[in-house]
Amino acid sequence: MVAPPYDIEAVRRDFPILEQKVNGQALVYLDSAASSQRPRAVIDAVRRHYETSHANVHRGAHELSVRATEAYEDARACVAAHIGAEDAAEIVFVRGTTEAINLVAGSLGKAHIGPGDEILLTKMEHHSNLVPWQLLAERTGATLRFVDVSPEGRLVLDDYARMLSERTRLVGVTHISNSLGVINPVREIAALAHEAGAFCLVDGAQAAPHLALDMGALGCDFYAFSGHKMCGPTGIGVLWARRAILEEMPPYQGGGEMIASVTLAGSTWAAVPHKFEAGTPNIAGAVGLGAAIRYLNAIGLDAIRRYETELLGYALERLGEIEGLRIYGPTDERVGVLSFTYLDVHAHDLATILDQRGIAIRAGHHCNQPLMEHLGVDATARASLYLYSTFQEVDALCEALHLAGEIFCRSA
Ligand code: 7TS
């Protein structure tokens, strides 16, 4: 084992929640793909905002409102720099990935997608990159089509290239699957979508926590992610889109903050991104997300990726030694989101047994029901790793799985 690229013990001390015992055992938190934990830097930034700077934004009539507006817009600039956006106006704050995708479906979808048009998705999409398009298809008469997933757990790219046509209006794809852990070649996917004249939306919920992102290099049109999976608060997320596209899109929700002027006869819209931020936004959430990004960058996403890759290799090896355990997804081009089935133990029973030992994993369909059907399972257990996960935690997981296997075999 090579020395970790950062001081893992110091990083763990940054996360107060990890210090506790659960069910009498040291907490082993392996559910970061559902929601990561927050470092003290984020908790403190949110507390400081409420203690010193909170007021409503963009109203500017008094000092606190000016401070709150500056903090909110600073967070936007921080996100823009972090993902290589050309302009902070390309960052729309939303509740999370789900709302970002609903925004695109509700706005661009309504304006640009009609009967006979096709929306091309994949069989590995999270429900939040599927159901908004189903709703849109119902309303508009558009057709949804789905790129296949290979037995190894990768997108079948030949299939994708064949399915694209002049009818394809939008391609929606997850950057990293929340069940298979696979990293999809989104740059190539976006380039092919553009050749066919389609927009490309990337669901970055599982990628933003792990990968250094550069919107210019990726080449997609929309990129969505959530703060709470990358050490930030819940209820804050980001839709990035090219400014020219955002300017063309009609508003998503109406209300305060998003207008230039209102009369009883009609309204005109504020400039982007405010046109898409109706109502009082999650100001403290944005401040917390800015703090999370600064925290991750202080460690370095490349260092985090190197450490996680090392840890993932170890986890794949150790889990691979357990008889009767099957891991889904490829062994390379992936992150440490590890879905598995074990003997005939139901995933929920497995999660309960592990929880008794203080080990938190997720069990279920992971909002991936069509993918589960494709894999021929109802549910999987899922252990997910992040920058604060350790080799000892992987050992604890494997030990607990051995124990669960023994209990199961005795009772079977
Ligand atoms: N897309 C992907 C790929 C996701 O993994 C998730 C959440 C979402 C979208 C939705 O994000 P939200 O923040 O708007 O809820 N995934 C999971 C998960 O795997 N377990 O819990 C939530």
Side-chain angles (χ1 to χ4, degrees), residues 3 73 78 92 104 116 174 197 206 217 224 260 270 286 289 309 317 388 390 402 412:
E73 294 304 328
C78 174
V92 181
V104 179
T174 190
Q206 295 293 343
L289 177 57
T309 303
E317 191 186 310
Y388 40 67
T390 65
H402 276 297

Side-chain angles (χ1 to χ4, degrees), residues 33-34 96-98 126 128 174 178 203 205-206 226 228-229 362 382:
T97 308
T98 303
H126 186 277
S128 33
T174 190
N178 66 312
D203 170 350
Q206 295 293 343
S226 302
H228 70 97
K229 293 188 199 286
R362 180 155 184 206
R382 187 187 70 182

Side-chain angles (χ1 to χ4, degrees), residues 252-319:
Y252 158 61
Q253 292 178 332
E257 301 261 347
M258 54 74 73
I259 51 85
S261 74
V262 178
T263 66
L264 292 180
S267 306
T268 58
W269 316 131
V272 296
H274 307 290
K275 178 169 77 174
F276 295 105
E277 293 182 2
T280 301
N282 184 352
I283 306 160
V287 168
L289 177 57
I293 288 172
R294 279 190 285 273
Y295 177 81
L296 290 173
N297 284 337
I299 299 168
L301 277 169
D302 289 339
I304 292 170
R305 178 94 181 106
R306 277 205 307 283
Y307 174 68
E308 287 180 354
T309 303
E310 196 73 30
L311 186 60
L312 166 64
Y314 181 69
L316 286 171
E317 191 186 310
R318 289 290 324 267
L319 289 168

Side-chain angles (χ1 to χ4, degrees), residues 168-223:
T168 315
R169 303 295 289 153
L170 182 134
V171 173
V173 62
T174 190
H175 197 164
I176 294 181
S177 161
N178 66 312
S179 284
L180 301 169
V182 61
I183 305 173
N184 290 320
V186 288
R187 187 202 294 230
E188 200 179 330
I189 289 169
L192 285 171
H194 287 161
E195 271 176 36
F199 290 106
C200 180
L201 174 142
V202 177
D203 170 350
Q206 295 293 343
H210 303 285
L211 305 182
L213 297 171
D214 178 353
M215 292 302 116
L218 273 189
C220 58
D221 302 296
F222 302 99
Y223 198 92

